[in-house]
Amino acid sequence: MRILVVNVNTTETMTHGIGVQAQKAAAPGTEIVALTPRFGAESVEGNFESYLAAVGVMDAVMRYDQPFDAVIQAGYGEHGREGLQELLEVPVVDITEAAASTAMFLGHKYSVVTTLDRAVPLIEDRLKLAGLDARCASVRASGMAVLELETQPERAVEAIVEQAAAAVTNDHAEVICLGCGGMAELEQKVRERTGVPVVDGVAAAVTIAESLVRLGLKTSKVRTYAPPRPKRITGFPLTGL
Amino acid sequence: MRILVVNVNTTETMTHGIGVQAQKAAAPGTEIVALTPRFGAESVEGNFESYLAAVGVMDAVMRYDQPFDAVIQAGYGEHGREGLQELLEVPVVDITEAAASTAMFLGHKYSVVTTLDRAVPLIEDRLKLAGLDARCASVRASGMAVLELETQPERAVEAIVEQAAAAVTNDHAEVICLGCGGMAELEQKVRERTGVPVVDGVAAAVTIAESLVRLGLKTSKVRTYAPPRPKRITGFPLTGL
Amino acid sequence: MRILVVNVNTTETMTHGIGVQAQKAAAPGTEIVALTPRFGAESVEGNFESYLAAVGVMDAVMRYDQPFDAVIQAGYGEHGREGLQELLEVPVVDITEAAASTAMFLGHKYSVVTTLDRAVPLIEDRLKLAGLDARCASVRASGMAVLELETQPERAVEAIVEQAAAAVTNDHAEVICLGCGGMAELEQKVRERTGVPVVDGVAAAVTIAESLVRLGLKTSKVRTYAPPRPKRITGFPLTGL
Amino acid sequence: MRILVVNVNTTETMTHGIGVQAQKAAAPGTEIVALTPRFGAESVEGNFESYLAAVGVMDAVMRYDQPFDAVIQAGYGEHGREGLQELLEVPVVDITEAAASTAMFLGHKYSVVTTLDRAVPLIEDRLKLAGLDARCASVRASGMAVLELETQPERAVEAIVEQAAAAVTNDHAEVICLGCGGMAELEQKVRERTGVPVVDGVAAAVTIAESLVRLGLKTSKVRTYAPPRPKRITGFPLTGL
Amino acid sequence: MRILVVNVNTTETMTHGIGVQAQKAAAPGTEIVALTPRFGAESVEGNFESYLAAVGVMDAVMRYDQPFDAVIQAGYGEHGREGLQELLEVPVVDITEAAASTAMFLGHKYSVVTTLDRAVPLIEDRLKLAGLDARCASVRASGMAVLELETQPERAVEAIVEQAAAAVTNDHAEVICLGCGGMAELEQKVRERTGVPVVDGVAAAVTIAESLVRLGLKTSKVRTYAPPRPKRITGFPLTGL
Amino acid sequence: MRILVVNVNTTETMTHGIGVQAQKAAAPGTEIVALTPRFGAESVEGNFESYLAAVGVMDAVMRYDQPFDAVIQAGYGEHGREGLQELLEVPVVDITEAAASTAMFLGHKYSVVTTLDRAVPLIEDRLKLAGLDARCASVRASGMAVLELETQPERAVEAIVEQAAAAVTNDHAEVICLGCGGMAELEQKVRERTGVPVVDGVAAAVTIAESLVRLGLKTSKVRTYAPPRPKRITGFPLTGL
């Protein structure tokens, strides 16, 4: 089985990291292909960039010319998942939803710890639309920008661990979802400090995508995610569809 | 005062119609500038096309090189409003929200009548995120495609009037929002048949935008709609920002 | 166009202040007529007084013997709007709802800052019924009584500004609605201190009323706000209806 | 123990009927005093009349010059309960809430059957504010006006029974609340036809008021229902407070 | 009238205390019979123990061989009420719901103060399912275990009073529900310290059960609480049903 | 990896069927062990039986004397999952939640088709508590009893397919969850008739349990699902814990 894992930003090192993380979570026999959009922002931290990413991810997936069995959109709180679901029959899994859905099997309430404060409403909105917000205790920001996770990993770990601990103590979270890129040590440190299970969205999404494929389940095409109707698309990377 | 009214699709005749409708609702002294995206779908009827429109509308607004006081995104149930709000300080008004917000001053519950059934969940989602769904009695589809509103106006009017009547009778709607492009006769016919006020989103949005401008109110920049952080944007129509 | 702006209490200086505030927000050609109820409390700060005001406002409007195009009920969190809507065809706008509805176009979440703590549940209830509570971050009390806004303006401004700042910092409000009478300097000071847009309910209501009139929209009469059925009304100021 | 049961309209025969109904439900030793407002509508079927009733009921209670232990507001879906709670320390029970609260001990979902369709939104709003709507399956109108319950009792019974049956069959109600004045035969007929428990609001309110009194529980005075602050009340029946 | 009050745990001294408390609240002529389950935990402080209690309580009630008119399940936040409702026609009242339902007649918001933090989510879940959570300001834990209420009464009172005061001050509760066994002095101390009405669940449940019986109301049998269908039950205390 | 799949009723043929179904969905290397409770009802169709099952399932799991990696509770809408989570560290997956969680990745709204109408409120309540109800279009009953699925398979298939089709057409479901035991042909027939993806709860639960195990995720022990505190448990199958 081949799963496309699409980064939402154009930073190749991040794509590489996500691919490694995904492959680690994958079952034997699952091939992970990590894609980077041709255009868009080097990091996605708001609505403008997220809308670019929505189209950039669709473009990246439609240009991929080999068969694949599922797609993972690897951005926390981003737009675009519904568009992919219209374009494809194979399952599309968003890591924000994958993490929340997984966390809900592990504790009564979960919290998300993310990067900048400005990303919080985007994540809250995504969880609300997905109907996965009822057991969300809080979405907390570490104050670290996406790229700082790479450039200042120690400070980032500390800031994230601190918010995770606050979520458990103050917001009664029983599970933490990491709403930001994967540093290998992050999961372990958060778990050690808080004593609660820690869910990484990319890993969760990989197992969900694999499960859907193995069960032969595909996106429903009867209404919301029916294929786009044939029509004229003008001057756009995706025109060729 | 100058208000940009941006069509979400690339059909110029529609842009023209929207512009006329907007100007009719505008106060003396308000100049309406109707814009068409350079790229995207000729009609927007789903998530894929709506995400293209989100970027197409941002591109059209950013390329406009004259001063303006407010922007109206003239698509029902479409993505993208939050992106524009990040890019601009002037008010941004979405017609879906403008219509709902206006309808709520006129009756206890309102319904939306739109084009195809597949657009219903998009509109429901937009109203939910906007927190304007609590008094929405229903979103109903007429079964007419966007372009058929122009090519088969009589059949379209009939289908829309029928759904509006059903909304009043069965769903207890007391106001009808027209979730589709403006035919001059539509408002009148729906009002005559149902006996309830009929809100056109474009007209409602114009008066709201004018009001915000006159009150000196601008988009809040402290959190969700703060300007995008300076960063590298790759290979995209909007790169020049 | 003539708009009646009805104070909910019997303090004439407040009526005057509200009238000035309304006229300032009005478009050229709009005549504001500010009315004071013949009976009721000198300030409205609770349910008993608010129910008196509901009837006092209806009485004041029904006794007004000139034509008018819209009515604004100028009390924050008060009862009575639905009664006016039954009695009139012209639009009726409540300033609590006008402020909230306007704020929602400017930021992701808004807060209301009002007078006494006991008024908070009334405002919360009004927003809930109006279906405008989903994006309300908080309703906060300054601890100042209504009449103290006039007698101790400096202390009032300080107390209100402080709660507005707390709403932005702690509750993540991106817009502030002023749930109390208008001091000219209040808006400016709150904006300066918090950096967020500030919505005054009276001003917002004026532009909304004007917009509804200009669009030819009236209160729906098919169900909730149908005219009262003809019947015997005993011994009441409003008997003459 | 003495309980005041206050009719919301000025029709004495209705007051008498409500008093009889209340006394039947009362425990030995409970004295029921049925009061009629001095002013207001002969029947309350909408917001205008309901706001008059709110003040009329407060007036009637405040003019009653003997001691009493609790007050019941005997109108379905009416305004005013919160005002009474401010004015009094003894418990105040609204029959809309009493019926719903009682029904929730008897079945998973309940429905209300009331008089005219226009009363439905008022009842829905009252249940929503009271936080008793989550298990409300529906509020249905029989189409009978309040006074027709007295003048056309047979037709009224038939119409109400029919809606009750529809609530059980179509809306999955397991309990019926009678949202209209008490005809002796109504309860029995609805029970026979539907096979579900039938709750009369007046009877339910009597037992709840008695219980609160016996347990020594009074209205909380710390915030929402604190006594009105001392202030000037102008030219109103209630001035003498 | 005879009411069974069933302890959820196997500690006889607690059963005795609950019985005394219930009898004190009962009307003259009401006989309280306090039952202890034959099996289960000496104190119930979590889901495992609560599920045992659900069956233990059903067993205790079914083995009781005299007639009775109502059943009270005297555990805060426990499972099992719905099972009893299927097995019986007489009313079944859960003290968690009785307390909340009663509190809602006394103030705008109520809080629950309970024993251990781990019990909080159980109580929250029970209130949510019962549709009585909309006006719940908070559920707070005193940190005292169930049995410590008996062994360390002074410390328990202090801890509970402290949380009650915090609920009033911080969470805007206007009424306190005691979510733990009754010490005579507890109610009084909480009332003195907070100035708000205090509801004891057992007492509230007794008056509600009495009221339902007096009104001739029984559990609805049309759907959710229909009697169990006849079938083979294997090797269980309750087999004999 | 070894996963225990526990039937909620005592019918061995059903346990066998569930085991086969689970094994079919399992990855290579996953051993499915299907358990039957020692006591309880031959079929579970209501709260009384479901509470017995809650304890029966806990008993069956605690008596199993080999190591295992996860537990699946294979009953639709049943009580008990939270108790297992307290007793175990390994993941516990309820099939009602597994199916809903899976369906939400495949379409905008899902419906559940179950056995008897009386099971509908139980399933609705379970989904509500799990916070998975926001995108549930409906829970529909086929009218077939649990054991009739085995004795009248053809009629059962027909009844279930019919309700699934109604859910898609009338309730706008885009995915169907089968809330009843697995007949091999059921999934296929529902898919053929409705054109939407069909989720079997047991299969979904197996893949979720496998995923949690593979990711090293266990039940959070900090609050709701902390191990039962050491205490005296009297006279119960589970005493030996």
Side-chain angles (χ1 to χ4, degrees):
Chain A
M1 158 181 352
R2 180 184 289 145
I3 297 177
L4 305 187
V5 181
V6 196
N7 190 1
V8 294
N9 61 47
T10 57
T11 302
E12 296 276 5
T13 53
M14 286 214 148
T15 307
H16 179 72
I18 291 166
V20 169
Q21 201 175 353
Q23 191 69 61
K24 228 176 63 190
T30 298
E31 178 195 359
I32 298 293
V33 176
L35 301 180
T36 309
R38 286 189 298 162
F39 47 80
E42 62 186 323
S43 67
V44 178
E45 294 168 324
N47 282 289
F48 161 62
E49 293 151 12
S50 180
Y51 279 120
L52 297 194
V55 179
V57 166
M58 291 193 286
D59 173 68
V61 170
M62 297 315 287
R63 291 171 56 87
Y64 184 76
D65 59 358
Q66 301 296 310
F68 53 90
D69 299 289
V71 174
I72 291 170
Q73 175 165 313
Y76 225 88
E78 307 315 342
H79 298 286
R81 187 254 300 149
E82 311 95 314
L84 280 170
Q85 285 180 296
E86 285 181 10
L87 295 172
L88 304 171
E89 294 222 345
V90 300
V92 178
V93 180
D94 174 273
I95 65 169
T96 321
E97 299 170 18
S101 174
T102 299
M104 286 161 72
F105 287 104
L106 302 171
H108 193 260
K109 290 267 165 68
Y110 71 92
S111 282
V112 178
V113 181
T114 188
T115 52
L116 299 177
D117 183 54
R118 68 180 297 160
V120 171
L122 277 90
I123 295 173
E124 289 173 341
D125 277 4
R126 242 30 61 204
L127 292 173
K128 188 177 193 177
L129 272 194
L132 295 169
D133 56 330
R135 287 165 59 198
C136 179
S138 58
V139 180
R140 280 174 169 267
S142 64
M144 303 300 291
V146 169
L147 296 181
E148 289 174 329
L149 300 180
E150 289 201 331
T151 58
Q152 308 186 37
E154 280 185 35
R155 220 185 104 216
V157 167
E158 195 44 45
I160 289 163
V161 166
E162 192 179 330
Q163 289 303 316
V168 172
T169 305
N170 302 338
D171 310 334
H172 297 302
E174 304 183 10
V175 186
I176 295 295
C177 294
L178 291 179
C180 42
M183 283 155 292
E185 54 189 325
L186 201 47
E187 271 184 67
Q188 190 189 332
K189 288 216 173 164
V190 174
R191 192 163 35 232
E192 281 170 15
R193 172 80 165 276
T194 61
V196 306
V198 177
V199 179
D200 170 72
V202 171
V206 168
T207 65
I208 289 168
E210 288 177 335
S211 297
L212 296 175
V213 172
R214 219 169 65 208
L215 296 172
L217 292 167
K218 304 199 167 175
T219 295
S220 181
K221 289 291 164 183
V222 293
R223 194 189 199 206
T224 311
Y225 306 125
R229 305 175 78 220
K231 64 183 62 166
R232 192 166 37 88
I233 308 284
T234 307
F236 209 74
L238 295 168
T239 308
L241 291 180
Chain B
M1 152 181 358
R2 181 184 288 144
I3 297 176
L4 305 187
V5 182
V6 197
N7 189 0
V8 294
N9 61 48
T10 57
T11 302
E12 296 277 3
T13 54
M14 286 213 148
T15 307
H16 178 72
I18 292 166
V20 168
Q21 201 175 352
Q23 193 68 60
K24 228 176 60 191
T30 297
E31 178 194 358
I32 298 293
V33 175
L35 301 179
T36 310
R38 287 188 299 163
F39 47 81
E42 61 186 325
S43 67
V44 178
E45 296 168 321
N47 283 288
F48 161 63
E49 294 150 13
S50 179
Y51 278 121
L52 296 194
V55 180
V57 166
M58 291 193 286
D59 172 69
V61 170
M62 298 314 288
R63 291 170 57 87
Y64 184 77
D65 59 0
Q66 302 295 311
F68 55 89
D69 299 290
V71 174
I72 291 170
Q73 174 165 314
Y76 225 89
E78 307 315 343
H79 298 286
R81 187 254 301 150
E82 311 96 313
L84 279 170
Q85 285 181 295
E86 286 181 7
L87 295 173
L88 304 171
E89 296 222 345
V90 302
V92 177
V93 179
D94 174 273
I95 64 168
T96 322
E97 299 170 18
S101 175
T102 298
M104 286 160 72
F105 286 104
L106 302 170
H108 193 261
K109 291 266 165 69
Y110 71 92
S111 283
V112 178
V113 181
T114 189
T115 51
L116 298 178
D117 183 54
R118 68 181 298 161
V120 171
L122 277 92
I123 295 173
E124 289 173 340
D125 277 3
R126 240 32 61 202
L127 293 173
K128 188 177 193 176
L129 271 195
L132 295 169
D133 56 330
R135 287 165 61 198
C136 180
S138 58
V139 180
R140 281 174 170 265
S142 64
M144 304 299 291
V146 169
L147 297 181
E148 288 173 329
L149 300 180
E150 290 200 330
T151 57
Q152 310 187 33
E154 281 185 33
R155 220 184 104 215
V157 168
E158 194 45 45
I160 289 163
V161 167
E162 192 180 332
Q163 289 303 314
V168 172
T169 306
N170 302 338
D171 310 335
H172 297 301
E174 303 183 11
V175 187
I176 295 295
C177 294
L178 291 180
C180 41
M183 284 156 289
E185 54 189 326
L186 201 46
E187 270 183 71
Q188 190 189 332
K189 288 217 172 164
V190 173
R191 192 164 35 233
E192 281 170 13
R193 171 77 167 275
T194 62
V196 307
V198 177
V199 179
D200 170 70
V202 171
V206 168
T207 65
I208 290 169
E210 288 177 335
S211 297
L212 297 174
V213 173
R214 219 169 66 208
L215 297 172
L217 292 167
K218 303 199 168 176
T219 296
S220 181
K221 289 289 164 184
V222 294
R223 195 189 199 202
T224 312
Y225 307 124
R229 307 174 77 221
K231 64 184 59 165
R232 193 165 37 88
I233 307 285
T234 307
F236 208 76
L238 294 167
T239 307
L241 291 180
Chain C
M1 163 184 342
R2 181 184 288 143
I3 297 177
L4 306 186
V5 181
V6 197
N7 190 0
V8 294
N9 61 49
T10 58
T11 302
E12 296 277 3
T13 54
M14 287 213 147
T15 307
H16 179 74
I18 291 167
V20 169
Q21 201 175 351
Q23 192 68 61
K24 229 176 59 190
T30 298
E31 178 195 359
I32 299 292
V33 175
L35 301 179
T36 310
R38 287 188 297 162
F39 48 80
E42 61 187 324
S43 67
V44 178
E45 296 168 322
N47 282 288
F48 161 62
E49 294 150 13
S50 180
Y51 279 121
L52 296 194
V55 179
V57 167
M58 291 195 285
D59 172 68
V61 171
M62 298 313 288
R63 290 169 58 86
Y64 184 77
D65 59 0
Q66 301 295 312
F68 54 90
D69 299 290
V71 174
I72 290 171
Q73 175 165 312
Y76 225 89
E78 309 313 343
H79 299 286
R81 187 253 301 149
E82 310 96 312
L84 280 169
Q85 285 179 295
E86 286 181 8
L87 295 173
L88 305 171
E89 295 223 345
V90 301
V92 177
V93 179
D94 174 274
I95 65 169
T96 323
E97 299 170 17
S101 174
T102 299
M104 286 160 72
F105 286 104
L106 302 170
H108 194 260
K109 290 267 165 68
Y110 70 92
S111 282
V112 179
V113 181
T114 188
T115 52
L116 299 177
D117 183 53
R118 68 180 298 162
V120 171
L122 277 91
I123 294 172
E124 291 173 340
D125 277 4
R126 240 33 59 201
L127 292 173
K128 188 177 192 177
L129 272 194
L132 295 168
D133 57 330
R135 287 165 60 198
C136 180
S138 58
V139 181
R140 280 174 170 264
S142 64
M144 304 300 290
V146 169
L147 298 180
E148 288 173 329
L149 299 180
E150 289 200 331
T151 58
Q152 308 187 35
E154 281 186 32
R155 221 185 102 215
V157 167
E158 195 44 46
I160 289 163
V161 167
E162 192 179 331
Q163 289 303 315
V168 172
T169 306
N170 302 339
D171 310 334
H172 296 303
E174 303 183 11
V175 187
I176 296 294
C177 294
L178 291 179
C180 41
M183 283 155 291
E185 54 188 327
L186 201 46
E187 271 183 69
Q188 189 189 332
K189 288 216 172 162
V190 173
R191 191 163 36 232
E192 281 169 15
R193 171 78 165 276
T194 61
V196 307
V198 177
V199 179
D200 170 71
V202 171
V206 168
T207 64
I208 289 169
E210 288 177 335
S211 298
L212 297 175
V213 172
R214 219 169 65 208
L215 296 172
L217 292 167
K218 304 199 167 175
T219 297
S220 180
K221 289 290 165 184
V222 294
R223 195 189 199 205
T224 311
Y225 306 124
R229 306 174 78 220
K231 63 183 60 165
R232 192 165 38 88
I233 306 286
T234 307
F236 209 84
L238 294 168
T239 309
L241 290 180
Chain D
M1 159 183 347
R2 180 185 289 144
I3 297 176
L4 305 187
V5 181
V6 197
N7 190 359
V8 294
N9 61 48
T10 58
T11 302
E12 295 276 4
T13 53
M14 285 213 150
T15 308
H16 179 72
I18 291 168
V20 168
Q21 202 174 352
Q23 193 67 61
K24 229 175 63 189
T30 298
E31 178 195 358
I32 298 294
V33 176
L35 300 179
T36 309
R38 286 189 298 161
F39 47 79
E42 62 187 323
S43 67
V44 178
E45 295 167 323
N47 282 288
F48 161 62
E49 294 150 11
S50 180
Y51 278 120
L52 296 194
V55 180
V57 166
M58 291 194 286
D59 172 69
V61 170
M62 297 314 287
R63 291 171 57 88
Y64 184 77
D65 59 359
Q66 301 295 312
F68 54 89
D69 299 290
V71 175
I72 291 170
Q73 174 165 313
Y76 225 89
E78 308 314 342
H79 298 286
R81 187 254 301 150
E82 311 95 313
L84 281 169
Q85 284 180 297
E86 285 181 3
L87 295 172
L88 304 172
E89 294 223 345
V90 301
V92 178
V93 180
D94 174 273
I95 64 169
T96 322
E97 298 170 18
S101 175
T102 298
M104 286 161 71
F105 287 104
L106 302 170
H108 194 261
K109 290 266 166 68
Y110 71 91
S111 282
V112 178
V113 181
T114 189
T115 51
L116 298 178
D117 184 54
R118 69 180 296 161
V120 170
L122 278 90
I123 295 173
E124 289 172 341
D125 277 4
R126 243 28 64 201
L127 293 173
K128 188 177 193 177
L129 273 194
L132 295 169
D133 56 329
R135 288 165 58 198
C136 180
S138 59
V139 181
R140 281 175 169 263
S142 64
M144 304 299 290
V146 169
L147 297 181
E148 288 173 330
L149 300 179
E150 288 200 332
T151 58
Q152 308 187 35
E154 279 185 34
R155 219 185 104 216
V157 167
E158 194 44 45
I160 289 163
V161 166
E162 192 180 331
Q163 289 303 315
V168 172
T169 305
N170 302 338
D171 310 333
H172 296 303
E174 304 183 10
V175 186
I176 295 294
C177 294
L178 291 179
C180 41
M183 283 155 291
E185 54 189 324
L186 201 47
E187 271 184 69
Q188 190 188 332
K189 287 215 172 163
V190 173
R191 192 162 36 233
E192 281 170 14
R193 171 80 166 274
T194 61
V196 306
V198 177
V199 179
D200 170 72
V202 172
V206 169
T207 65
I208 289 168
E210 287 177 336
S211 297
L212 297 175
V213 173
R214 221 169 63 208
L215 296 172
L217 291 167
K218 303 198 167 176
T219 296
S220 181
K221 290 290 164 183
V222 294
R223 195 189 200 204
T224 311
Y225 306 124
R229 306 176 77 221
K231 65 183 60 165
R232 192 164 38 87
I233 307 285
T234 307
F236 208 75
L238 294 168
T239 308
L241 291 181
Chain E
M1 155 183 352
R2 180 184 287 144
I3 297 176
L4 306 186
V5 181
V6 197
N7 190 0
V8 294
N9 62 48
T10 57
T11 301
E12 296 276 4
T13 53
M14 287 213 148
T15 307
H16 179 73
I18 291 167
V20 168
Q21 201 174 352
Q23 191 69 61
K24 229 175 61 191
T30 297
E31 179 195 358
I32 298 293
V33 175
L35 301 179
T36 310
R38 287 188 296 163
F39 48 81
E42 61 186 323
S43 67
V44 177
E45 295 168 321
N47 282 289
F48 161 62
E49 293 150 12
S50 179
Y51 278 121
L52 296 194
V55 179
V57 166
M58 290 194 285
D59 173 68
V61 169
M62 297 314 288
R63 290 172 56 87
Y64 184 76
D65 58 0
Q66 301 295 312
F68 54 90
D69 299 289
V71 174
I72 290 170
Q73 175 165 313
Y76 225 89
E78 309 313 344
H79 298 287
R81 187 255 300 151
E82 310 96 314
L84 279 169
Q85 284 180 295
E86 285 182 8
L87 295 172
L88 304 172
E89 294 222 345
V90 300
V92 178
V93 180
D94 174 273
I95 65 169
T96 322
E97 299 171 18
S101 175
T102 298
M104 286 160 72
F105 286 103
L106 303 170
H108 194 259
K109 289 268 166 67
Y110 71 91
S111 282
V112 178
V113 181
T114 189
T115 51
L116 298 177
D117 183 54
R118 68 180 297 161
V120 171
L122 278 90
I123 294 173
E124 290 173 341
D125 277 4
R126 240 34 60 202
L127 292 173
K128 188 176 193 178
L129 271 194
L132 295 169
D133 57 330
R135 287 165 61 197
C136 181
S138 58
V139 181
R140 280 175 170 265
S142 64
M144 304 298 291
V146 169
L147 297 180
E148 288 173 328
L149 299 180
E150 289 201 329
T151 58
Q152 307 187 37
E154 281 185 33
R155 221 186 103 215
V157 168
E158 196 43 47
I160 289 163
V161 167
E162 193 179 330
Q163 289 303 313
V168 172
T169 305
N170 302 338
D171 310 335
H172 296 302
E174 303 182 11
V175 187
I176 296 295
C177 295
L178 291 179
C180 41
M183 283 156 291
E185 55 189 325
L186 201 46
E187 270 183 69
Q188 189 190 332
K189 288 215 172 166
V190 173
R191 191 161 36 230
E192 281 170 15
R193 172 78 166 277
T194 61
V196 306
V198 178
V199 179
D200 170 71
V202 171
V206 168
T207 64
I208 289 168
E210 287 177 336
S211 297
L212 297 175
V213 172
R214 220 168 66 209
L215 296 172
L217 292 167
K218 304 199 166 175
T219 297
S220 181
K221 290 290 164 184
V222 294
R223 197 189 198 203
T224 312
Y225 306 124
R229 306 175 78 219
K231 63 184 60 164
R232 192 165 37 87
I233 307 286
T234 308
F236 210 83
L238 293 169
T239 308
L241 291 180
Chain F
M1 164 184 341
R2 179 185 288 145
I3 297 176
L4 305 187
V5 181
V6 197
N7 190 0
V8 294
N9 62 48
T10 56
T11 302
E12 296 277 4
T13 52
M14 287 213 148
T15 307
H16 178 73
I18 292 167
V20 168
Q21 202 175 351
Q23 193 67 63
K24 229 174 60 188
T30 298
E31 177 194 0
I32 299 294
V33 176
L35 300 180
T36 309
R38 286 189 297 162
F39 47 80
E42 62 186 322
S43 68
V44 177
E45 295 168 322
N47 283 288
F48 160 62
E49 293 151 12
S50 180
Y51 278 120
L52 297 193
V55 180
V57 166
M58 290 194 286
D59 172 69
V61 170
M62 297 315 288
R63 290 170 58 87
Y64 184 77
D65 59 359
Q66 301 295 313
F68 54 89
D69 299 288
V71 174
I72 291 170
Q73 175 166 313
Y76 225 89
E78 308 314 344
H79 299 286
R81 185 256 299 151
E82 311 96 314
L84 279 170
Q85 284 179 297
E86 286 181 1
L87 295 172
L88 305 172
E89 294 222 347
V90 300
V92 177
V93 180
D94 174 273
I95 64 169
T96 322
E97 299 170 18
S101 175
T102 299
M104 286 161 72
F105 286 104
L106 302 170
H108 193 260
K109 289 267 165 68
Y110 71 91
S111 284
V112 178
V113 181
T114 188
T115 51
L116 298 178
D117 183 54
R118 69 179 299 160
V120 170
L122 278 91
I123 294 173
E124 289 173 341
D125 277 4
R126 241 31 61 202
L127 292 173
K128 188 177 193 177
L129 273 194
L132 295 169
D133 57 330
R135 287 165 61 198
C136 180
S138 58
V139 181
R140 282 176 169 264
S142 64
M144 304 299 291
V146 169
L147 298 181
E148 288 173 330
L149 300 180
E150 289 201 330
T151 58
Q152 307 187 37
E154 281 185 32
R155 221 185 103 215
V157 168
E158 194 44 45
I160 289 162
V161 167
E162 191 180 332
Q163 289 302 315
V168 172
T169 306
N170 302 337
D171 311 333
H172 296 302
E174 303 183 10
V175 187
I176 296 295
C177 295
L178 291 178
C180 42
M183 283 155 291
E185 54 188 325
L186 201 46
E187 270 184 69
Q188 190 190 331
K189 288 214 172 165
V190 173
R191 191 163 36 232
E192 281 170 14
R193 171 79 166 275
T194 62
V196 306
V198 177
V199 178
D200 171 71
V202 171
V206 168
T207 65
I208 289 168
E210 287 177 336
S211 296
L212 297 175
V213 172
R214 220 168 66 206
L215 296 172
L217 292 167
K218 303 198 168 177
T219 296
S220 181
K221 289 290 165 184
V222 293
R223 196 190 200 204
T224 312
Y225 306 124
R229 306 175 76 220
K231 63 184 61 166
R232 192 166 38 88
I233 307 286
T234 308
F236 209 76
L238 294 167
T239 309
L241 293 179

